[in-house]
Amino acid sequence: MRKNLLTKSSLIAKELQYDIEQGSLLHMEKLPSERELSDIFKVQRGTIREALDLLVQERLIFSKPKVGYFVNEKRVRKFTNPLALNDPSKRDNLVRERISFEKIYADSWLSNQMLVPKSSEVYRIVIICYDDKVVVGKERYYLLSDTTGTITEKDMNTFSVAELATKGIIKTASSNIKSNQKITLAYTNSSDSSLFGIEENTPLLRHRGLEYNEKGQLVLFYDNFLLPHYFEFYRMEQTYHDK
Amino acid sequence: MTNKVLNYYDLSEIISARIERNEYLPGELLPTEKDFISRYNISRQTTRKAIELLKEEGYVRSVQGQGTFVEKINHSKVAFGVINESDNASFTSLVRKFGIEISSKLLATGAIDSNRFFSSKLEIGLDETIFGIHRIRYGNREPLAIEYTYLPLKFFEDINKHNFEHVSLYDYMATKEHLPLNFREKFIMTQANAKIAKYLGLTDDLTVNKMEITGFDSENNIVEFTESYSRPDKLEVRFVTK
């Protein structure tokens, strides 16, 4: 049994994954050649190729024909803690461009998503996220005016969405803030495929969330469409402390 | 009822209900916009918005020049990863709440020598031994997820005597006083490798959910590291904080 649980190639793939995660192989850096790797791990080149294949399939590395294998770009880290977007240490470094801000009245779809009565007053903000000029996400935020109060165009230019959503939230109470998020797979429709510059029906990661204030009132609903391979999501227990 | 003008949401609900009841079958061509317009006496715009919404929800898929097709059914979608301080992350207990019959199949179990990867995940020495359990999880007899679980053998020395096809791993871990209580999770969407695609029955789109779960017992020892690959069309990943 001792050798059967994982094949030699999966074990080597794990070792290489460790090197990538620990940073001894840098993102966009070229991996040692197949020959060098087979010397390092003392296995045949076929086994190395299988290990590299596994990593390519998992999108940790990619191959450039006739050049070699390279470590993929680091994924953008997101946190799923409640209102993580309001915590500077948990914010990502994407460039955001607000393309619209308007006051709307919840239609049936929105009232169903937000669990609020139809025709509730909602501020809708649409933002496009860029990573190095590449569109990687479309974020739609819906703020319930009942809890956030009036938001003006001027507020929009001064505050972030998170700041607007948390107006009136006592910071120290943040551990009691409720949030409910889900991640599903979606496929691009025609307008999103032209926005992202990808073909129609390409998989997208859809991240939806409802966030509440310390009184348990809904403040924010978001519905984000993201390129699936650009992001990673983290969740840590409040009680867990890094050693 | 028939006098009420349908809005796009009503229409999308009608269509999704039909898909869930198998009146429209996966792969079947949906009636055309024109059909819906004349059948329900609604505008083209209403119809289009309804179809767009169904696409977002994964019920249908449009193919250029051919029309809109019914996708694989969504009604068996179950939530996964609903973890908070009071619950534990046992797949079975999570999914059971949603009324789906869960079964597992053991692919392999066994002890292996740790390596740098596992030692860093489990925070153990390189000279230690780990015990791995590889399982396929089924919901209503369909494969939903494949789970690769690794535990430090030092906490579970008689683990080899148990068959986790029938015994809950978490029940067993609790008897050893190393039940994971706190979790750290990392979630990504990635591509299934050939083996995982085969186990999960993925053919066309190989996008999978990958969840890495690190479980800590009451004394903050890492007692579990799991890599779970699941079908995004069957499992909805949730993060809930109460």
Side-chain angles (χ1 to χ4, degrees):
Chain A
M1 257 332 225
R2 249 180 130 76
K3 291 244 146 56
N4 285 346
L5 188 70
L6 289 166
T7 59
K8 246 184 210 168
S9 52
S10 351
L11 282 168
I12 290 169
K14 294 289 189 208
E15 292 273 357
L16 291 168
Q17 186 179 339
Y18 171 85
D19 285 330
I20 295 167
E21 287 177 354
Q22 299 297 314
S24 43
L25 281 170
L26 295 172
H27 292 275
M28 303 312 280
E29 183 183 324
K30 187 173 177 292
L31 264 68
S33 70
E34 284 179 16
R35 182 193 294 274
E36 286 164 331
L37 287 170
S38 84
D39 286 344
I40 295 168
F41 290 104
K42 300 182 179 64
V43 293
Q44 294 189 329
R45 276 180 70 172
T47 311
I48 293 296
R49 219 166 288 137
E50 279 172 30
L52 293 169
D53 253 1
L54 284 170
L55 295 173
V56 169
Q57 286 168 359
E58 278 219 17
R59 302 232 173 181
L60 275 162
I61 63 170
F62 62 96
S63 90
K64 265 191 204 169
K66 296 203 178 118
V67 185
Y69 292 90
F70 293 81
V71 180
N72 249 323
E73 207 97 58
K74 195 167 171 54
R75 287 178 185 244
V76 175
R77 185 172 287 201
K78 283 185 166 277
F79 291 87
T80 63
N81 305 58
L83 290 171
L85 68 169
N86 200 27
D87 179 346
S89 69
K90 295 191 168 64
R91 219 170 279 157
D92 59 51
N93 291 319
L94 297 176
V95 174
R96 285 184 162 74
E97 181 197 0
R98 172 159 52 89
I99 57 166
S100 73
F101 163 62
E102 59 197 321
K103 188 159 91 179
I104 58 168
Y105 297 93
D107 65 8
S108 333
W109 173 78
L110 192 56
S111 82
N112 198 285
Q113 297 282 323
M114 295 182 80
L115 313 168
V116 296
K118 241 172 113 170
S119 305
S120 301
E121 225 176 77
V122 175
Y123 293 102
R124 183 172 79 157
I125 301 144
V126 183
I127 289 171
I128 307 296
C129 307
Y130 298 87
D131 182 25
D132 201 15
K133 288 175 188 149
V134 177
V135 176
V136 295
K138 180 180 86 176
E139 301 178 332
R140 294 188 296 194
Y141 293 95
Y142 300 87
L143 292 157
L144 197 59
S145 82
D146 270 358
T147 39
T148 57
T150 306
I151 298 173
T152 62
E153 183 73 36
K154 197 177 153 227
D155 293 331
M156 283 305 308
N157 295 328
T158 322
F159 303 106
S160 70
V161 172
E163 285 164 342
L164 293 170
T166 54
K167 268 207 281 184
I169 288 189
I170 308 153
K171 265 218 161 157
T172 49
S174 66
S175 56
N176 298 320
I177 294 174
K178 193 171 93 166
S179 122
N180 191 340
Q181 303 174 31
K182 66 178 174 187
I183 296 174
T184 53
L185 187 67
Y187 293 92
T188 45
N189 58 30
S190 47
S191 64
D192 283 345
S193 40
S194 55
L195 171 72
F196 285 98
I198 52 181
E199 271 177 58
E200 226 176 300
N201 295 319
T202 307
L204 284 181
L205 186 156
R206 186 179 192 186
H207 181 206
R208 269 175 284 189
L210 293 167
E211 308 257 359
Y212 299 81
N213 68 14
E214 78 283 7
K215 290 179 199 138
Q217 301 164 310
L218 176 74
V219 283
L220 170 71
F221 164 62
Y222 54 84
D223 188 3
N224 300 340
F225 291 86
L226 308 170
L227 287 184
H229 303 296
Y230 267 80
F231 294 89
E232 57 187 19
F233 292 82
Y234 276 80
R235 184 182 178 283
M236 284 175 198
E237 292 287 346
Q238 315 275 352
T239 48
Y240 171 76
H241 302 290
D242 246 315
K243 283 178 190 165
Chain B
M1 274 284 271
T2 46
N3 292 332
K4 192 193 156 215
V5 180
L6 288 184
N7 65 32
Y8 78 97
Y9 186 71
D10 299 330
L11 179 61
S12 79
E13 290 279 279
I14 291 172
I15 300 172
S16 63
R18 293 202 172 152
I19 293 172
E20 291 190 0
R21 287 200 304 266
N22 281 331
E23 286 173 43
Y24 297 143
L25 292 171
E28 190 182 321
L29 197 58
L30 210 64
T32 61
E33 273 180 26
K34 266 190 188 160
D35 291 332
F36 286 122
I37 292 166
S38 61
R39 197 179 306 169
Y40 296 106
N41 197 20
I42 47 174
S43 72
R44 180 170 294 268
Q45 206 203 345
T46 304
T47 314
R48 285 216 174 132
K49 264 185 103 171
I51 304 285
E52 283 302 306
L53 185 57
L54 290 165
K55 273 193 218 168
E56 281 189 0
E57 305 294 341
Y59 282 104
V60 301
R61 209 196 264 222
S62 293
V63 180
Q64 196 89 50
Q66 292 184 48
T68 303
F69 293 88
V70 177
E71 267 288 299
K72 289 163 236 146
I73 335 142
N74 260 341
H75 70 246
S76 63
K77 213 175 232 180
V78 292
F80 171 58
V82 190
I83 298 171
N84 62 50
E85 279 99 278
S86 54
D87 279 330
N88 72 39
S90 152
F91 181 95
T92 312
S93 75
L94 290 177
V95 176
R96 201 178 271 156
K97 289 180 188 153
F98 295 87
I100 279 188
E101 189 197 326
I102 293 295
S103 53
S104 319
K105 191 171 117 189
L106 270 183
L107 292 170
T109 60
I112 50 169
D113 297 331
S114 190
N115 64 15
R116 292 181 303 155
F117 178 81
F118 291 111
S119 284
S120 79
K121 297 292 180 189
L122 292 167
E123 292 181 3
I124 58 172
L126 278 168
D127 54 347
E128 292 192 44
T129 305
I130 56 174
F131 192 85
I133 301 167
H134 297 175
R135 290 183 285 189
I136 306 185
R137 305 297 210 154
Y138 297 86
N140 292 339
R141 297 198 185 89
E142 281 181 301
L144 295 181
I146 165 159
E147 290 187 349
Y148 299 99
T149 298
Y150 303 94
L151 320 166
L153 188 64
K154 63 181 172 197
F155 296 135
F156 308 102
E157 282 178 348
D158 63 347
I159 193 166
N160 216 1
K161 296 190 187 113
H162 297 80
N163 177 350
F164 296 104
E165 210 157 279
H166 307 295
V167 177
S168 150
L169 177 60
Y170 279 17
D171 288 349
Y172 164 75
M173 290 169 86
T175 67
K176 298 280 142 190
E177 288 172 5
H178 289 298
L179 177 70
L181 296 169
N182 290 315
F183 298 93
R184 190 168 60 190
E185 298 159 293
K186 178 183 161 189
F187 170 83
I188 60 170
M189 276 192 183
T190 184
Q191 297 293 109
N193 67 39
K195 206 163 147 189
I196 291 164
K198 196 186 104 205
Y199 285 134
L200 292 180
L202 295 168
T203 45
D204 180 18
D205 180 6
L206 298 182
T207 310
V208 283
N209 295 326
K210 181 183 180 189
M211 183 83 92
E212 282 183 26
I213 300 159
T214 309
F216 298 80
D217 69 8
S218 59
E219 289 177 334
N220 231 12
N221 299 307
I222 297 181
V223 290
E224 171 196 9
F225 172 70
T226 293
E227 293 177 305
S228 150
Y229 296 85
S230 60
R231 291 187 58 141
D233 57 338
K234 304 270 187 214
L235 281 174
E236 184 169 278
V237 175
R238 292 203 196 162
F239 296 97
V240 180
T241 319
K242 285 178 187 164

